Amino acid sequence: MDTKKVWLVTGASKGLGLTLVKTLLNHGYQVAATSRSLNALENAVGKQEAFLPLQVDLMNEESVESAISQVLETFGHLDVVVNNAGYGQNGTLEEITDEESRQNFDVNVFGLLNVIRKSIPHLREQQSGHIFNIASIAGMIATFPGFGIYCATKFAVVGLTEALSAEVGPFGIHATVVYPGYFRTEFLSDDSLKLAKNRMDIYAQARESERLHKEEIAGNQLGDPEKAAEVLIKVAESDDPALHLFLGSDSYGLAQQKLKTLETALEANKALSHSTDFKN
């Protein structure tokens, strides 16, 4: 294993990001990590020579650019970028406000784009690198009542990662979109899953989904974040890494379900699909 690669992980003070940082350091990698709170990040990881904690506002391009410059000044190069920062937003499309929707897109999509935009020039110059964008299985299947906006942010991450892969491939840069299922992290805590301010009892399915996530799924998730971290490292070391990476048997099963749904819809409407062509 090449332990000289330099990794940058966003949203690393807790959850999968924190586990990944600790795992990378244990494997001998040099790691830079970002958080909104420098103290939280330093307390969670501890001081290590190979670790560079960074307080970054991902919605601020200057803050992101400064962080990447610090990575290069400290370690000399940057090889793997993991866009992990994000949060869940609950609320049906009628309930959720414009402000809540835009804030979720700001963090989950536009913050991620800022990191991509500022890191690519360095990866392109060295003709190598790998960008992981952490989406969710909710970026492939969105039939979760009350999670429409969150799912939309993750669908956006999937689409932009596919485009990114095609754009940067000629420069020797890989891109991977990651679809985690339910992992046993703090993602369902109040800090990471925001509830709509204007909840309406008429949406019984959404309220039940909300209760289910908070009271039954939280703490009982199937996925082991330490195993997820090991998989990300393995993929980063691969000569031909996957563009689409599903983590967890639950994620795998839901993806298969979506593929079957699409195949059924395609075949059921094949005649209608073809009927719209100009006929020679």
Short mmCIF file of all heavy atoms in Angstrom, two decimals, residues 162-220:
data_model
loop_
_atom_site.label_atom_id
_atom_site.label_comp_id
_atom_site.label_asym_id
_atom_site.label_seq_id
_atom_site.Cartn_x
_atom_site.Cartn_y
_atom_site.Cartn_z
N GLU A 162 -20.94 11.98 -12.07
CA GLU A 162 -20.84 11.31 -13.37
C GLU A 162 -20.21 12.26 -14.39
O GLU A 162 -19.33 11.86 -15.16
CB GLU A 162 -22.22 10.86 -13.84
CG GLU A 162 -22.76 9.66 -13.09
CD GLU A 162 -24.00 9.08 -13.74
OE1 GLU A 162 -24.59 9.73 -14.62
OE2 GLU A 162 -24.38 7.95 -13.36
N ALA A 163 -20.65 13.51 -14.41
CA ALA A 163 -20.08 14.49 -15.33
C ALA A 163 -18.61 14.75 -15.00
O ALA A 163 -17.76 14.83 -15.90
CB ALA A 163 -20.87 15.79 -15.26
N LEU A 164 -18.32 14.86 -13.71
CA LEU A 164 -16.94 15.09 -13.28
C LEU A 164 -16.01 13.99 -13.77
O LEU A 164 -14.90 14.26 -14.25
CB LEU A 164 -16.89 15.18 -11.76
CG LEU A 164 -15.50 15.35 -11.12
CD1 LEU A 164 -14.91 16.70 -11.49
CD2 LEU A 164 -15.60 15.21 -9.60
N SER A 165 -16.47 12.75 -13.67
CA SER A 165 -15.66 11.62 -14.10
C SER A 165 -15.28 11.74 -15.58
O SER A 165 -14.14 11.49 -15.96
CB SER A 165 -16.43 10.31 -13.87
OG SER A 165 -15.72 9.21 -14.38
N ALA A 166 -16.25 12.14 -16.40
CA ALA A 166 -15.99 12.29 -17.83
C ALA A 166 -15.06 13.47 -18.11
O ALA A 166 -14.24 13.42 -19.03
CB ALA A 166 -17.31 12.46 -18.58
N GLU A 167 -15.20 14.52 -17.32
CA GLU A 167 -14.41 15.74 -17.56
C GLU A 167 -12.95 15.60 -17.15
O GLU A 167 -12.05 16.08 -17.85
CB GLU A 167 -15.05 16.91 -16.80
CG GLU A 167 -16.40 17.33 -17.35
CD GLU A 167 -17.19 18.23 -16.41
OE1 GLU A 167 -16.70 18.50 -15.29
OE2 GLU A 167 -18.29 18.66 -16.79
N VAL A 168 -12.70 14.97 -16.00
CA VAL A 168 -11.33 14.93 -15.48
C VAL A 168 -10.60 13.63 -15.80
O VAL A 168 -9.39 13.54 -15.58
CB VAL A 168 -11.31 15.18 -13.95
CG1 VAL A 168 -11.92 16.52 -13.63
CG2 VAL A 168 -12.03 14.05 -13.20
N GLY A 169 -11.30 12.65 -16.34
CA GLY A 169 -10.65 11.40 -16.71
C GLY A 169 -9.44 11.58 -17.60
O GLY A 169 -8.40 10.94 -17.39
N PRO A 170 -9.52 12.44 -18.62
CA PRO A 170 -8.36 12.63 -19.51
C PRO A 170 -7.13 13.17 -18.81
O PRO A 170 -6.02 13.10 -19.36
CB PRO A 170 -8.89 13.65 -20.54
CG PRO A 170 -10.36 13.45 -20.56
CD PRO A 170 -10.72 13.13 -19.14
N PHE A 171 -7.28 13.70 -17.60
CA PHE A 171 -6.15 14.24 -16.84
C PHE A 171 -5.63 13.25 -15.80
O PHE A 171 -4.83 13.62 -14.93
CB PHE A 171 -6.54 15.55 -16.16
CG PHE A 171 -7.06 16.59 -17.10
CD1 PHE A 171 -8.41 16.90 -17.10
CD2 PHE A 171 -6.22 17.23 -18.00
CE1 PHE A 171 -8.91 17.86 -17.97
CE2 PHE A 171 -6.72 18.18 -18.89
CZ PHE A 171 -8.06 18.49 -18.88
N GLY A 172 -6.10 12.02 -15.87
CA GLY A 172 -5.64 11.00 -14.93
C GLY A 172 -6.29 11.07 -13.56
O GLY A 172 -5.79 10.49 -12.60
N ILE A 173 -7.42 11.78 -13.48
CA ILE A 173 -8.12 11.94 -12.20
C ILE A 173 -9.35 11.05 -12.18
O ILE A 173 -10.12 11.04 -13.15
CB ILE A 173 -8.54 13.41 -11.99
CG1 ILE A 173 -7.33 14.34 -12.09
CG2 ILE A 173 -9.24 13.58 -10.64
CD1 ILE A 173 -7.69 15.81 -12.15
N HIS A 174 -9.55 10.32 -11.11
CA HIS A 174 -10.71 9.46 -10.95
C HIS A 174 -11.77 10.16 -10.10
O HIS A 174 -11.46 11.00 -9.26
CB HIS A 174 -10.33 8.14 -10.26
CG HIS A 174 -9.35 7.33 -11.03
ND1 HIS A 174 -9.66 6.70 -12.21
CD2 HIS A 174 -8.04 7.04 -10.77
CE1 HIS A 174 -8.60 6.04 -12.66
NE2 HIS A 174 -7.60 6.24 -11.81
N ALA A 175 -13.02 9.81 -10.34
CA ALA A 175 -14.13 10.30 -9.51
C ALA A 175 -15.02 9.12 -9.14
O ALA A 175 -15.31 8.26 -9.98
CB ALA A 175 -14.94 11.35 -10.26
N THR A 176 -15.45 9.10 -7.89
CA THR A 176 -16.32 8.03 -7.39
C THR A 176 -17.44 8.65 -6.57
O THR A 176 -17.19 9.47 -5.69
CB THR A 176 -15.54 7.05 -6.49
OG1 THR A 176 -14.52 6.39 -7.26
CG2 THR A 176 -16.47 5.99 -5.89
N VAL A 177 -18.68 8.26 -6.88
CA VAL A 177 -19.81 8.66 -6.05
C VAL A 177 -20.16 7.49 -5.15
O VAL A 177 -20.27 6.35 -5.61
CB VAL A 177 -21.03 9.11 -6.90
CG1 VAL A 177 -21.50 8.03 -7.86
CG2 VAL A 177 -22.17 9.55 -5.99
N VAL A 178 -20.29 7.77 -3.86
CA VAL A 178 -20.49 6.73 -2.85
C VAL A 178 -21.92 6.80 -2.35
O VAL A 178 -22.42 7.87 -1.99
CB VAL A 178 -19.50 6.90 -1.68
CG1 VAL A 178 -19.66 5.75 -0.68
CG2 VAL A 178 -18.07 6.98 -2.19
N TYR A 179 -22.58 5.63 -2.34
CA TYR A 179 -23.97 5.53 -1.90
C TYR A 179 -24.05 4.73 -0.61
O TYR A 179 -24.34 3.54 -0.63
CB TYR A 179 -24.82 4.81 -2.94
CG TYR A 179 -24.82 5.33 -4.35
CD1 TYR A 179 -23.76 5.06 -5.21
CD2 TYR A 179 -25.92 6.03 -4.85
CE1 TYR A 179 -23.78 5.49 -6.53
CE2 TYR A 179 -25.95 6.45 -6.17
CZ TYR A 179 -24.87 6.19 -6.99
OH TYR A 179 -24.90 6.62 -8.30
N PRO A 180 -23.78 5.33 0.56
CA PRO A 180 -23.91 4.56 1.79
C PRO A 180 -25.38 4.28 2.10
O PRO A 180 -26.27 5.09 1.82
CB PRO A 180 -23.32 5.50 2.86
CG PRO A 180 -22.59 6.56 2.09
CD PRO A 180 -23.31 6.69 0.80
N GLY A 181 -25.60 3.12 2.72
CA GLY A 181 -26.90 2.85 3.30
C GLY A 181 -26.91 3.42 4.71
O GLY A 181 -26.32 4.47 4.97
N TYR A 182 -27.58 2.76 5.63
CA TYR A 182 -27.62 3.23 7.02
C TYR A 182 -26.37 2.76 7.75
O TYR A 182 -26.14 1.56 7.91
CB TYR A 182 -28.86 2.69 7.73
CG TYR A 182 -30.15 3.34 7.30
CD1 TYR A 182 -31.05 2.68 6.46
CD2 TYR A 182 -30.48 4.63 7.72
CE1 TYR A 182 -32.24 3.27 6.06
CE2 TYR A 182 -31.67 5.23 7.33
CZ TYR A 182 -32.55 4.55 6.50
OH TYR A 182 -33.71 5.15 6.11
N PHE A 183 -25.55 3.72 8.19
CA PHE A 183 -24.35 3.41 8.96
C PHE A 183 -24.49 3.92 10.38
O PHE A 183 -25.14 4.95 10.62
CB PHE A 183 -23.11 4.00 8.29
CG PHE A 183 -22.55 3.11 7.21
CD1 PHE A 183 -23.13 3.06 5.95
CD2 PHE A 183 -21.47 2.28 7.47
CE1 PHE A 183 -22.66 2.22 4.97
CE2 PHE A 183 -20.98 1.43 6.50
CZ PHE A 183 -21.57 1.39 5.24
N ARG A 184 -23.89 3.21 11.31
CA ARG A 184 -24.05 3.52 12.73
C ARG A 184 -23.16 4.70 13.12
O ARG A 184 -22.10 4.55 13.74
CB ARG A 184 -23.75 2.28 13.58
CG ARG A 184 -24.44 2.29 14.93
CD ARG A 184 -24.39 0.92 15.58
NE ARG A 184 -25.11 -0.09 14.82
CZ ARG A 184 -25.19 -1.38 15.16
NH1 ARG A 184 -24.59 -1.80 16.26
NH2 ARG A 184 -25.86 -2.23 14.39
N THR A 185 -23.62 5.89 12.72
CA THR A 185 -22.94 7.14 13.05
C THR A 185 -23.95 8.08 13.70
O THR A 185 -25.08 7.67 13.98
CB THR A 185 -22.37 7.81 11.78
OG1 THR A 185 -23.46 8.25 10.96
CG2 THR A 185 -21.50 6.84 10.99
N GLU A 186 -23.57 9.34 13.83
CA GLU A 186 -24.46 10.33 14.44
C GLU A 186 -25.38 10.98 13.42
O GLU A 186 -26.00 12.01 13.70
CB GLU A 186 -23.64 11.43 15.14
CG GLU A 186 -22.74 10.93 16.25
CD GLU A 186 -21.34 10.59 15.76
OE1 GLU A 186 -21.18 10.33 14.54
OE2 GLU A 186 -20.41 10.59 16.57
N PHE A 187 -25.49 10.41 12.21
CA PHE A 187 -26.23 11.07 11.14
C PHE A 187 -27.69 11.34 11.51
O PHE A 187 -28.28 12.32 11.06
CB PHE A 187 -26.19 10.24 9.85
CG PHE A 187 -26.94 10.88 8.72
CD1 PHE A 187 -26.42 11.97 8.04
CD2 PHE A 187 -28.18 10.40 8.33
CE1 PHE A 187 -27.12 12.59 7.02
CE2 PHE A 187 -28.90 11.00 7.31
CZ PHE A 187 -28.36 12.10 6.64
N LEU A 188 -28.29 10.50 12.33
CA LEU A 188 -29.69 10.68 12.70
C LEU A 188 -29.86 11.50 13.98
O LEU A 188 -30.98 11.63 14.48
CB LEU A 188 -30.38 9.32 12.84
CG LEU A 188 -30.46 8.49 11.56
CD1 LEU A 188 -31.12 7.14 11.83
CD2 LEU A 188 -31.20 9.23 10.46
N SER A 189 -28.76 12.06 14.49
CA SER A 189 -28.86 12.90 15.69
C SER A 189 -29.44 14.26 15.31
O SER A 189 -29.53 14.62 14.13
CB SER A 189 -27.47 13.09 16.31
OG SER A 189 -26.65 13.88 15.46
N ASP A 190 -29.81 15.04 16.32
CA ASP A 190 -30.40 16.35 16.06
C ASP A 190 -29.44 17.29 15.34
O ASP A 190 -29.87 18.17 14.60
CB ASP A 190 -30.84 17.00 17.39
CG ASP A 190 -32.02 16.26 18.02
OD1 ASP A 190 -32.72 15.53 17.29
OD2 ASP A 190 -32.23 16.41 19.23
N ASP A 191 -28.14 17.10 15.53
CA ASP A 191 -27.15 17.96 14.86
C ASP A 191 -27.03 17.66 13.37
O ASP A 191 -26.63 18.54 12.60
CB ASP A 191 -25.77 17.78 15.51
CG ASP A 191 -25.70 18.42 16.88
OD1 ASP A 191 -26.54 19.30 17.16
OD2 ASP A 191 -24.82 18.04 17.67
N SER A 192 -27.34 16.45 12.98
CA SER A 192 -27.12 16.04 11.59
C SER A 192 -28.39 15.82 10.79
O SER A 192 -28.35 15.73 9.57
CB SER A 192 -26.29 14.74 11.56
OG SER A 192 -25.01 14.95 12.14
N LEU A 193 -29.53 15.69 11.47
CA LEU A 193 -30.80 15.53 10.78
C LEU A 193 -31.75 16.61 11.27
O LEU A 193 -32.24 16.57 12.40
CB LEU A 193 -31.41 14.15 11.03
CG LEU A 193 -32.79 13.89 10.40
CD1 LEU A 193 -32.73 14.04 8.88
CD2 LEU A 193 -33.32 12.52 10.78
N LYS A 194 -31.99 17.60 10.42
CA LYS A 194 -32.86 18.71 10.79
C LYS A 194 -34.30 18.40 10.42
O LYS A 194 -34.57 17.86 9.34
CB LYS A 194 -32.39 19.99 10.10
CG LYS A 194 -31.01 20.46 10.53
CD LYS A 194 -30.65 21.79 9.90
CE LYS A 194 -29.29 22.27 10.36
NZ LYS A 194 -28.93 23.58 9.75
N LEU A 195 -35.21 18.79 11.29
CA LEU A 195 -36.63 18.60 11.03
C LEU A 195 -37.23 19.90 10.52
O LEU A 195 -36.81 21.00 10.90
CB LEU A 195 -37.36 18.17 12.30
CG LEU A 195 -36.85 16.90 12.98
CD1 LEU A 195 -37.69 16.59 14.21
CD2 LEU A 195 -36.84 15.72 12.03
N ALA A 196 -38.20 19.78 9.64
CA ALA A 196 -38.87 20.97 9.10
C ALA A 196 -39.52 21.76 10.24
O ALA A 196 -40.07 21.19 11.18
CB ALA A 196 -39.92 20.56 8.08
N LYS A 197 -39.45 23.07 10.13
CA LYS A 197 -40.04 23.92 11.17
C LYS A 197 -41.57 23.85 11.14
O LYS A 197 -42.22 24.00 12.17
CB LYS A 197 -39.59 25.36 10.96
CG LYS A 197 -38.09 25.56 11.09
CD LYS A 197 -37.68 26.97 10.72
CE LYS A 197 -36.17 27.14 10.75
NZ LYS A 197 -35.75 28.49 10.28
N ASN A 198 -42.14 23.63 9.96
CA ASN A 198 -43.61 23.68 9.80
C ASN A 198 -44.16 22.29 9.50
O ASN A 198 -44.66 22.03 8.41
CB ASN A 198 -43.97 24.65 8.67
CG ASN A 198 -43.40 26.03 8.87
OD1 ASN A 198 -43.44 26.55 9.97
ND2 ASN A 198 -42.84 26.60 7.82
N ARG A 199 -44.05 21.38 10.47
CA ARG A 199 -44.52 20.03 10.24
C ARG A 199 -46.05 19.96 10.34
O ARG A 199 -46.66 20.59 11.21
CB ARG A 199 -43.87 19.06 11.23
CG ARG A 199 -42.36 19.02 11.08
CD ARG A 199 -41.75 17.76 11.66
NE ARG A 199 -41.92 17.65 13.10
CZ ARG A 199 -41.21 18.33 13.99
NH1 ARG A 199 -40.31 19.20 13.60
NH2 ARG A 199 -41.41 18.15 15.27
N MET A 200 -46.65 19.18 9.44
CA MET A 200 -48.10 19.07 9.35
C MET A 200 -48.53 17.64 9.64
O MET A 200 -48.06 16.70 8.98
CB MET A 200 -48.57 19.49 7.94
CG MET A 200 -48.16 20.91 7.56
SD MET A 200 -48.28 21.24 5.78
CE MET A 200 -50.04 20.92 5.51
N ASP A 201 -49.40 17.47 10.61
CA ASP A 201 -49.81 16.13 11.03
C ASP A 201 -50.54 15.37 9.93
O ASP A 201 -50.63 14.14 9.98
CB ASP A 201 -50.71 16.22 12.26
CG ASP A 201 -49.94 16.66 13.50
OD1 ASP A 201 -48.69 16.52 13.49
OD2 ASP A 201 -50.57 17.15 14.45
N ILE A 202 -51.06 16.09 8.94
CA ILE A 202 -51.80 15.42 7.87
C ILE A 202 -50.89 14.46 7.08
O ILE A 202 -51.36 13.49 6.49
CB ILE A 202 -52.44 16.46 6.92
CG1 ILE A 202 -53.47 15.78 6.02
CG2 ILE A 202 -51.39 17.20 6.09
CD1 ILE A 202 -54.31 16.77 5.22
N TYR A 203 -49.58 14.71 7.11
CA TYR A 203 -48.63 13.82 6.43
C TYR A 203 -48.24 12.69 7.38
O TYR A 203 -47.15 12.67 7.96
CB TYR A 203 -47.41 14.58 5.95
CG TYR A 203 -47.67 15.42 4.72
CD1 TYR A 203 -47.81 16.80 4.80
CD2 TYR A 203 -47.80 14.82 3.46
CE1 TYR A 203 -48.07 17.56 3.67
CE2 TYR A 203 -48.05 15.58 2.32
CZ TYR A 203 -48.18 16.95 2.44
OH TYR A 203 -48.43 17.70 1.31
N ALA A 204 -49.14 11.73 7.52
CA ALA A 204 -48.95 10.66 8.50
C ALA A 204 -47.74 9.79 8.16
O ALA A 204 -46.99 9.38 9.06
CB ALA A 204 -50.21 9.80 8.57
N GLN A 205 -47.53 9.50 6.88
CA GLN A 205 -46.40 8.65 6.49
C GLN A 205 -45.07 9.33 6.80
O GLN A 205 -44.13 8.69 7.27
CB GLN A 205 -46.48 8.30 5.01
CG GLN A 205 -47.57 7.29 4.65
CD GLN A 205 -47.54 6.95 3.17
OE1 GLN A 205 -47.45 7.83 2.30
NE2 GLN A 205 -47.60 5.67 2.86
N ALA A 206 -45.00 10.62 6.54
CA ALA A 206 -43.77 11.36 6.82
C ALA A 206 -43.48 11.41 8.31
O ALA A 206 -42.34 11.28 8.75
CB ALA A 206 -43.85 12.77 6.23
N ARG A 207 -44.54 11.62 9.12
CA ARG A 207 -44.35 11.67 10.57
C ARG A 207 -43.89 10.32 11.10
O ARG A 207 -43.06 10.23 12.01
CB ARG A 207 -45.65 12.10 11.26
CG ARG A 207 -46.15 13.49 10.95
CD ARG A 207 -45.27 14.60 11.50
NE ARG A 207 -44.07 14.83 10.68
CZ ARG A 207 -44.08 15.49 9.52
NH1 ARG A 207 -45.21 15.97 9.03
NH2 ARG A 207 -42.96 15.67 8.85
N GLU A 208 -44.44 9.24 10.54
CA GLU A 208 -44.04 7.90 10.96
C GLU A 208 -42.60 7.62 10.55
O GLU A 208 -41.83 7.03 11.32
CB GLU A 208 -44.98 6.85 10.37
CG GLU A 208 -44.58 5.41 10.63
CD GLU A 208 -44.45 5.04 12.10
OE1 GLU A 208 -45.00 5.77 12.97
OE2 GLU A 208 -43.79 4.03 12.40
N SER A 209 -42.22 8.06 9.36
CA SER A 209 -40.84 7.89 8.91
C SER A 209 -39.89 8.66 9.81
O SER A 209 -38.82 8.16 10.18
CB SER A 209 -40.70 8.38 7.46
OG SER A 209 -39.35 8.31 7.05
N GLU A 210 -40.30 9.86 10.18
CA GLU A 210 -39.50 10.69 11.09
C GLU A 210 -39.31 9.98 12.43
O GLU A 210 -38.20 9.89 12.97
CB GLU A 210 -40.22 12.02 11.29
CG GLU A 210 -39.58 12.98 12.24
CD GLU A 210 -40.46 14.20 12.46
OE1 GLU A 210 -40.96 14.77 11.47
OE2 GLU A 210 -40.66 14.57 13.63
N ARG A 211 -40.41 9.44 12.99
CA ARG A 211 -40.33 8.72 14.26
C ARG A 211 -39.46 7.49 14.14
O ARG A 211 -38.64 7.19 15.03
CB ARG A 211 -41.75 8.32 14.70
CG ARG A 211 -41.81 7.69 16.10
CD ARG A 211 -43.05 6.84 16.28
NE ARG A 211 -43.08 5.69 15.39
CZ ARG A 211 -42.38 4.57 15.61
NH1 ARG A 211 -41.58 4.46 16.68
NH2 ARG A 211 -42.46 3.56 14.76
N LEU A 212 -39.64 6.77 13.04
CA LEU A 212 -38.89 5.54 12.82
C LEU A 212 -37.38 5.81 12.81
O LEU A 212 -36.60 5.08 13.43
CB LEU A 212 -39.33 4.90 11.50
CG LEU A 212 -38.80 3.50 11.20
CD1 LEU A 212 -39.42 2.49 12.14
CD2 LEU A 212 -39.11 3.11 9.75
N HIS A 213 -36.98 6.87 12.09
CA HIS A 213 -35.56 7.19 12.00
C HIS A 213 -35.00 7.61 13.35
O HIS A 213 -33.89 7.20 13.72
CB HIS A 213 -35.33 8.28 10.96
CG HIS A 213 -35.33 7.79 9.55
ND1 HIS A 213 -36.50 7.58 8.84
CD2 HIS A 213 -34.32 7.44 8.72
CE1 HIS A 213 -36.20 7.13 7.64
NE2 HIS A 213 -34.89 7.03 7.54
N LYS A 214 -35.77 8.40 14.09
CA LYS A 214 -35.28 8.93 15.35
C LYS A 214 -35.29 7.90 16.48
O LYS A 214 -34.40 7.87 17.34
CB LYS A 214 -36.12 10.14 15.76
CG LYS A 214 -35.84 11.40 14.95
CD LYS A 214 -34.49 11.99 15.30
CE LYS A 214 -34.26 13.34 14.69
NZ LYS A 214 -32.94 13.91 15.05
N GLU A 215 -36.30 7.04 16.50
CA GLU A 215 -36.52 6.16 17.65
C GLU A 215 -36.10 4.71 17.43
O GLU A 215 -35.78 4.01 18.39
CB GLU A 215 -38.00 6.20 18.05
CG GLU A 215 -38.48 7.57 18.50
CD GLU A 215 -39.95 7.58 18.88
OE1 GLU A 215 -40.53 6.48 19.02
OE2 GLU A 215 -40.52 8.68 19.04
N GLU A 216 -36.10 4.24 16.18
CA GLU A 216 -35.83 2.82 15.95
C GLU A 216 -34.57 2.57 15.13
O GLU A 216 -33.80 1.66 15.43
CB GLU A 216 -37.04 2.16 15.28
CG GLU A 216 -38.28 2.14 16.15
CD GLU A 216 -39.43 1.36 15.53
OE1 GLU A 216 -39.16 0.47 14.70
OE2 GLU A 216 -40.60 1.64 15.87
N ILE A 217 -34.36 3.37 14.09
CA ILE A 217 -33.19 3.14 13.24
C ILE A 217 -31.92 3.66 13.90
O ILE A 217 -30.87 3.01 13.86
CB ILE A 217 -33.40 3.78 11.85
CG1 ILE A 217 -34.58 3.11 11.14
CG2 ILE A 217 -32.14 3.67 11.02
CD1 ILE A 217 -34.93 3.72 9.79
N ALA A 218 -32.00 4.86 14.52
CA ALA A 218 -30.83 5.46 15.17
C ALA A 218 -30.25 4.52 16.22
O ALA A 218 -30.95 4.04 17.11
CB ALA A 218 -31.22 6.79 15.82
N GLY A 219 -28.97 4.22 16.09
CA GLY A 219 -28.29 3.33 17.02
C GLY A 219 -28.36 1.87 16.63
O GLY A 219 -27.67 1.03 17.20
N ASN A 220 -29.19 1.55 15.64
CA ASN A 220 -29.33 0.16 15.19
C ASN A 220 -29.00 -0.01 13.71
O ASN A 220 -29.36 -1.02 13.10
CB ASN A 220 -30.77 -0.33 15.44
CG ASN A 220 -31.11 -0.36 16.92
OD1 ASN A 220 -30.43 -1.01 17.71
ND2 ASN A 220 -32.16 0.36 17.30
#
